[in-house]
């Protein structure tokens, strides 16, 4: 293929569509200006084609180059190296489209486009985006195919699309085989991590933060129980604990942060990693697929354990990953939901109990202190005092809402005795503060409550609007969970947030969310079906790692390593043979009918010895006219080739005649090639 050959319009249009589509998909990471730049370059190029003009305006080209420098420079200033490199490639694609004339430029765009498609998978991993990327690559393959097979009509273009589709269908089994069997090797080098804002729960919690988070329908994680699922009232998905309170904000103390960093750096568990339940029925096993949160927190039921690599057990009974979750993570865990949370489970010294008695230095809340003194006179032991505080939440006119009134200082006094409206973090904060005033160690636990069961996949989806906060108090050497929200809005524990708040207050910022139409069976079933498809995609495709590969090979070929290797090689060879036979069968008509093209190309290559130029643009009869001044042997040989081609193309071909013509054509071409070489 001559790389200086001009690019056909259909190839250029397909390439422009693919480049624009990919830049649109990456616009959230690279910015909308990059997409706008590529779109403008593509539209201007197509406008030139429509006007039969293939030369861009010089001053307009200079303007595009200047804009490209500005875009790449602004991306570099942001400090994100990966985004800068990708932005540079995307902008370069647009500039190449602007001046694209020859096939070599098209090849450059196509190879860079394949690389950008692979790089985009760092950000675009959902199933529907994978199908879009597949369609994008199909456009690029069609553009390359159009270079070798130019189409002049709409019917020819559709026929070429059909042929490219057949090639893709043949290639798919190879792709699946490589995906399943190729060794999952670790990366040879580390890419710089792009800075990304954390998602979901944070290590700092202000009053109102969970209420704002509960306005989001973004997925947090999914859970599949190995056996029977626990009751909804036990679905307290623990994420992290907060022990320091300044009167407005709960956060982790510096000591707890350092403990977390130490565990991550050393990859060391800081409490026991195994526990045998006295009653086996109390042990709950489950699989979790956590979404990328760019934080290390994992999710588990109370007293959770995991045997997975890189999952660390913390002294506060939470699980963390050894690094921030920058992509979806699947891990196994088990819990003993009725087991006490005791400090004897820790293998390393935990935070002193004095840290869980810390009070704000500059906020006294006098009304709360006076009220607590009254309660302590009536309730002399800690359990009865706790019950009295919870009864206050239950018996007074407290209101559970996503939009509470703003709390002036002192916050706890105004919440308990004035506004009396708030979300879960308001009640948990007030209760934990009162416990500390009473000398009872307490801490805030934040995580998620409940989950939506998907019957088609038999798993639970936990969303950001399921975020929840509760309290743990230390009594008789054990941490006990107490949820003050259950005394204000008990339906929140047994029902989801939508049922608790009502449709008007649920997801007020997402008016077109499908959750608002779950009363329509068809809409709700479609939503659950799409969610299940995405779940299976995540479970079997995105989370297919080396451990799952080993498990698959073990199931297929057994434990014997030699036997497994031999069987694997046999499967690969047989698969390749079958695919080759299928490809030959799909192209059987093409092989039977186009043998003459191979011989004709062989004859045309010999024309270079006769100083015949641009022969690819000439018909056989036109070439014969240019050979009139050549020796008679050359003219006669070429004329014989023309006669045989006419018989092949325009006369009905029977099996015997077809074989005879094929032999005669091969002999005539060989004779012509020998005669032409003698003229060199």
């Amino acid at each position: 293929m001559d790389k200086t050959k001009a690019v056909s319009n259909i190839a250029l249009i397909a390439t422009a569509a693919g480049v624009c589509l990919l830049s649109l998909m990456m616009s959230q990471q690279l910015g909308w200006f990059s997409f706008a730049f590529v779109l403008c370059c593509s539209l201007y190029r197509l406008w030139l084609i429509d006007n039969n003009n293939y030369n861009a305006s010089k001053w307009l080209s200079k303007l595009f180059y200047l804009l490209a420098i500005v875009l790449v420079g602004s991306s570099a200033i942001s400090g994100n190296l990966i985004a800068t490199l990708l932005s540079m490639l995307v902008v370069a694609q647009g500039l190449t489209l602007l001046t694209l004339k020859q096939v070599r430029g098209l090849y450059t765009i196509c190879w860079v486009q394949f690389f950008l498609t692979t790089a985009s998978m760092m950000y675009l991993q959902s199933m529907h985006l994978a199908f879009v990327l597949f369609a994008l690559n199909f456009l690029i393959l069609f553009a390359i195919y159009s270079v070798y097979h130019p189409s002049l009509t709409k019917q020819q273009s559709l026929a070429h699309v059909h042929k490219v589709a057949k090639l893709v269908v043949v290639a798919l089994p190879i792709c699946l085989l490589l995906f399943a069997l190729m060794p999952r090797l670790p990366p040879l080098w580390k890419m710089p991590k792009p800075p990304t804002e954390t998602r979901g729960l944070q290590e700092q919690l202000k009053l109102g933060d969970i209420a704002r988070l509960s306005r989001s329908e973004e997925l947090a994680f999914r859970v599949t129980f190995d056996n029977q699922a626990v009751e909804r009232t036990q679905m307290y998905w623990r994420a992290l604990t907060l022990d320091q309170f300044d009167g407005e904000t709960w956060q982790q103390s510096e000591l707890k942060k350092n403990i977390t960093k130490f565990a991550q750096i050393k990859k060391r568990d800081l409490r026991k990693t195994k526990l045998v339940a006295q009653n086996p029925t109390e042990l709950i096993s489950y699989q979790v697929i956590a979404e990328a949160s760019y934080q290390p927190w994992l999710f588990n039921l109370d007293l959770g354990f995991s045997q997975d690599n890189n999952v660390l057990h913390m002294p506060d009974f939470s699980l963390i990953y050894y690094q921030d979750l920058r992509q979806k993570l699947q891990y196994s865990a088990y819990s003993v939901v009725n087991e006490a949370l005791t400090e004897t489970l820790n293998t390393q010294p935990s935070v002193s109990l004095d840290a869980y008695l810390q009070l704000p230095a500059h906020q006294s809340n006098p009304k709360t202190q006076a009220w607590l003194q009254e309660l302590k006179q009536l309730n002399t032991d800690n359990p009865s005092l706790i019950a009295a505080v919870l009864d206050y939440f239950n018996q007074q006119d407290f209101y559970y809402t996503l939009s509470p009134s703003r709390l002036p200082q002192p916050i706890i006094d105004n919440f308990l005795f004035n506004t009396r409206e708030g979300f879960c973090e308001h009640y948990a904060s007030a209760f934990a503060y009162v416990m500390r005033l009473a000398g009872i160690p307490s801490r805030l636990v934040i995580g998620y409550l409940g989950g939506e069961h998907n019957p088609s996949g038999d798993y639970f989806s936990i969303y950001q609007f399921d975020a929840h906060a509760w309290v743990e108090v230390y009594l008789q050497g054990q941490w006990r969970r107490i949820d003050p929200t259950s005394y204000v809005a008990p339906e929140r524990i047994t029902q989801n947030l939508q049922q608790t708040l009502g449709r008007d207050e649920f997801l007020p910022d997402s008016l077109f969310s499908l959750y608002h139409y779950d009363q329509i069976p068809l809409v709700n079933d479609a939503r659950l079906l799409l969610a299940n498809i995405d779940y299976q995609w995540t479970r079997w495709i995105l989370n297919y790692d080396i451990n799952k590969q080993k498990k698959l090979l073990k199931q297929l070929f057994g434990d014997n390593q030699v036997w497994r290797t031999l069987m694997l090689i046999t499967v690969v060879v047989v698969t390749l043979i079958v695919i080759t036979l299928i490809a030959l069968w799909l192209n059987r008509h093409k092989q039977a009918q186009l043998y003459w093209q191979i011989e004709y190309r062989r004859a045309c290559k010999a024309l270079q010895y006769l100083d015949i130029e641009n022969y690819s643009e000439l018909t056989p009869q036109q070439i014969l006219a240019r050979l009139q001044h050549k020796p008679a042997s050359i003219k006669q040989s070429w004329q014989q080739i023309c006669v045989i081609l006419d018989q092949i193309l325009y006369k009905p071909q029977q099996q015997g005649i077809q074989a005879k013509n094929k032999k005669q054509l091969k002999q005539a071409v060989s004779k012509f090639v020998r005669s032409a070489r003698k003229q060199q």
Side-chain angles (χ1 to χ4, degrees):
M1 171 60 66
D2 185 7
K3 292 187 178 181
T4 61
K5 180 181 177 181
V7 179
S8 63
N9 290 346
I10 188 67
L12 198 151
I13 293 173
T15 304
V19 172
C20 289
L21 182 60
L22 183 59
S23 61
L24 174 62
M25 295 177 63
M26 300 180 68
S27 58
Q28 186 174 0
Q29 289 75 31
L30 306 182
W32 287 98
F33 288 108
S34 296
F35 166 66
F37 178 83
V38 173
L39 182 63
C40 290
C41 290
S42 302
L43 292 177
Y44 179 62
R45 185 72 173 124
L46 296 178
W47 179 81
L48 291 176
I49 293 175
D50 188 57
N51 289 273
N52 296 320
N53 183 5
Y54 295 91
N55 295 316
S57 171
K58 290 185 178 180
W59 69 268
L60 200 55
S61 298
K62 292 179 180 179
L63 178 61
F64 276 114
Y65 278 102
L66 180 61
L67 288 175
I69 294 174
V70 172
L71 285 175
V72 176
S74 60
S75 179
I77 293 174
S78 66
N80 190 338
L81 178 59
I82 293 181
T84 301
L85 295 175
L86 295 180
S87 178
M88 182 176 63
L89 289 175
V90 169
V91 168
Q93 293 283 79
L95 293 176
T96 307
L97 277 175
L98 194 65
T99 58
L100 181 60
K101 294 181 181 179
Q102 298 178 341
V103 172
R104 68 176 64 178
L106 180 68
Y107 285 163
T108 301
I109 288 182
C110 292
W111 305 141
V112 173
Q113 192 75 353
F114 286 135
F115 173 79
L116 286 174
T117 302
T118 305
S120 67
M121 293 299 291
M122 291 190 298
Y123 309 102
L124 313 173
Q125 296 184 346
S126 61
M127 187 184 64
H128 65 281
L129 293 178
F131 282 114
V132 175
L133 290 176
F134 179 84
L136 184 152
N137 285 332
F138 184 87
L139 287 174
I140 299 302
L141 291 174
F142 175 73
I144 297 175
Y145 187 87
S146 299
V147 172
Y148 291 90
H149 304 277
S151 56
L152 302 177
T153 63
K154 181 179 179 181
Q155 289 74 15
Q156 289 179 335
S157 299
L158 293 177
H160 290 169
V161 170
H162 179 69
K163 291 178 181 178
V164 175
K166 286 172 38 175
L167 292 174
V168 171
V169 169
V170 172
L172 278 178
I174 301 177
C175 295
L176 294 175
L177 186 68
L178 293 175
F179 174 79
L181 302 180
M182 279 292 290
R184 287 315 201 248
L185 299 176
L188 300 178
W189 61 85
K190 285 189 176 182
M191 292 289 290
K193 298 177 180 179
T196 308
E197 292 185 0
T198 56
R199 301 173 184 170
L201 298 170
Q202 307 294 320
E203 60 183 13
Q204 289 187 346
L205 178 68
K206 291 184 177 180
L207 298 184
D209 282 353
I210 293 185
R212 283 186 288 270
L213 184 61
S214 296
R215 295 173 178 265
S216 170
E217 58 179 322
E218 185 179 357
L219 182 67
F221 60 98
R222 295 185 177 106
V223 179
T224 303
F225 288 93
D226 294 346
N227 297 307
Q228 186 176 359
V230 299
E231 296 293 333
R232 182 183 178 85
T233 55
Q234 294 180 322
M235 286 188 182
Y236 281 84
W237 301 101
R238 185 189 202 90
L240 68 155
T241 61
L242 307 177
D243 60 330
Q244 193 172 68
F245 184 51
D246 63 4
E248 295 183 8
T249 304
W250 285 89
Q251 61 184 342
Q252 289 191 335
S253 63
E254 289 299 322
L255 177 58
K256 290 201 67 172
K257 292 178 182 178
N258 291 334
I259 291 175
T260 301
K261 292 179 181 178
F262 171 81
Q264 288 182 296
I265 294 173
K266 299 295 184 179
K267 291 187 179 180
R268 181 181 299 177
D269 292 296
L270 301 183
R271 63 177 168 91
K272 291 182 180 179
T273 59
K274 290 184 179 180
L275 179 69
V276 179
Q278 296 179 357
N279 184 359
T281 59
E282 295 180 354
L283 193 143
I284 307 297
S285 300
Y286 47 93
Q287 309 286 326
V288 181
I289 299 180
E291 297 293 305
S293 62
Y294 301 93
Q295 300 184 102
W297 325 119
L298 301 180
F299 312 102
N300 62 280
L301 298 173
D302 278 344
L303 200 53
F305 299 85
S306 176
Q307 300 301 318
D308 288 14
N309 295 330
N310 300 323
V311 176
L312 308 176
H313 300 70
M314 301 303 292
D316 62 351
F317 309 105
S318 61
L319 299 178
I320 66 170
Y321 199 52
Y322 80 104
Q323 63 181 8
D324 292 346
L325 269 65
R326 296 184 174 273
Q327 59 185 11
K328 296 181 180 183
L329 175 69
Q330 181 173 351
Y331 60 95
S332 303
Y334 67 93
S335 296
V336 189
V337 294
N338 293 328
E339 193 77 15
L341 303 180
T342 62
E343 293 292 331
T344 58
L345 293 172
N346 294 331
T347 60
Q348 299 289 334
S350 59
V351 178
S352 170
L353 290 178
D354 292 337
Y356 300 113
L357 293 172
Q358 173 266 333
L359 292 169
H362 305 292
Q363 190 181 109
S364 58
N365 294 287
K367 290 185 179 180
T368 304
Q369 293 187 31
W371 169 67
L372 179 61
Q373 292 301 321
E374 295 177 3
L375 290 180
K376 292 178 71 174
Q377 292 177 2
L378 299 175
N379 303 275
T380 56
D381 58 277
N382 288 339
S384 61
L385 178 63
I386 293 173
V389 175
L390 294 175
D391 286 342
Y392 179 79
F393 282 120
N394 180 254
Q395 297 170 5
Q396 299 298 317
D397 294 330
F398 284 94
Y399 184 57
Y400 185 71
T401 176
L402 274 175
S403 305
S405 303
R406 183 179 178 275
L407 288 170
Q409 295 289 350
I411 289 179
I412 303 299
D413 276 357
N414 281 292
F415 172 71
L416 289 177
F417 305 107
N418 295 332
T419 63
R420 292 182 177 177
E421 57 182 20
F423 205 55
C424 59
E425 68 267 35
H426 294 78
Y427 298 102
S429 296
F431 182 77
Y433 177 81
V434 172
M435 291 296 99
R436 291 188 174 189
L437 277 179
I440 302 174
S442 61
R443 61 191 181 191
L444 213 66
V445 185
I446 56 177
Y448 297 86
L449 175 62
E452 179 187 44
H453 181 248
N454 191 315
S456 56
D458 194 21
Y459 67 91
F460 288 83
S461 297
I462 292 85
Y463 300 91
Q464 298 300 347
F465 56 70
D466 293 314
H468 193 61
W470 60 94
V471 178
E472 286 180 347
V473 297
Y474 193 76
L475 293 174
Q476 300 175 353
Q478 298 177 352
W479 287 101
R480 300 180 181 274
R481 182 183 70 223
I482 298 178
D483 188 357
T485 303
S486 64
Y487 292 83
V488 178
E491 64 274 11
R492 175 66 184 95
I493 312 304
T494 58
Q495 301 176 354
N496 59 36
L497 187 64
Q498 182 183 25
Q499 295 169 325
T500 303
L501 296 176
R503 299 186 185 277
D504 294 337
E505 195 173 355
F506 179 69
L507 295 179
D509 302 327
S510 304
L511 298 179
F512 298 101
S513 171
L514 293 179
Y515 293 98
H516 289 299
Y517 308 97
D518 61 353
Q519 72 277 14
I520 304 175
L522 183 62
V523 175
N524 193 53
D525 291 344
R527 179 180 65 83
L528 293 175
L529 176 62
L530 293 175
N532 183 46
I533 293 174
D534 182 72
Y535 168 70
Q536 302 300 337
W537 168 267
T538 302
R539 185 179 180 184
W540 298 110
I541 303 298
L542 296 183
N543 289 324
Y544 185 76
D545 54 12
I546 187 171
N547 294 324
K548 286 191 174 181
Q549 187 182 57
K550 289 180 178 179
K551 185 178 180 181
L552 174 64
L553 295 177
K554 183 178 179 180
Q555 291 176 346
L556 293 176
F557 308 119
D559 293 328
N560 191 301
Q561 186 67 30
V562 177
W563 174 250
R564 183 190 304 176
T565 303
L566 291 175
M567 289 297 297
L568 183 60
I569 294 175
T570 303
V571 169
V572 172
V573 172
V574 171
T575 303
L576 293 177
I577 292 175
V578 171
I579 291 172
T580 303
L581 293 176
I582 293 174
L584 292 174
W585 182 80
L586 290 174
N587 291 276
R588 63 192 186 283
H589 300 297
K590 179 179 178 181
Q591 296 295 330
Q593 296 175 4
L594 302 185
Y595 69 90
W596 62 268
Q597 293 185 353
I598 299 174
E599 295 297 332
Y600 182 71
R601 291 194 192 101
R602 188 161 68 94
C604 288
K605 288 182 180 180
L607 292 173
Q608 61 184 337
Y609 304 126
L610 305 174
D611 298 327
I612 303 297
E613 299 178 352
N614 300 324
Y615 53 82
S616 61
E617 301 176 0
L618 302 175
T619 65
Q621 294 296 330
Q622 290 174 332
I623 294 176
L624 180 62
R626 293 195 178 188
L627 295 174
Q628 292 302 316
H629 302 291
K630 301 297 179 180
S633 60
I634 292 177
K635 290 188 294 183
Q636 291 174 0
S637 299
W638 189 264
Q639 189 172 11
Q640 185 181 5
I641 292 173
C642 293
V643 172
I644 298 174
L645 286 176
D646 288 341
Q647 292 176 352
I648 293 173
L649 295 175
Y650 303 113
K651 286 187 178 181
Q653 295 288 300
Q654 298 179 358
Q655 189 67 29
I657 298 176
Q658 183 180 9
K660 181 180 179 181
N661 287 336
K662 183 176 181 180
K663 181 178 180 181
Q664 290 178 347
L665 179 62
K666 185 175 182 179
Q667 293 175 347
V669 170
S670 298
K671 182 179 179 181
F672 175 78
V673 172
R674 288 194 300 269
S675 300
R677 285 177 176 174
K678 292 180 181 179
Q679 303 298 317
Q680 188 177 6

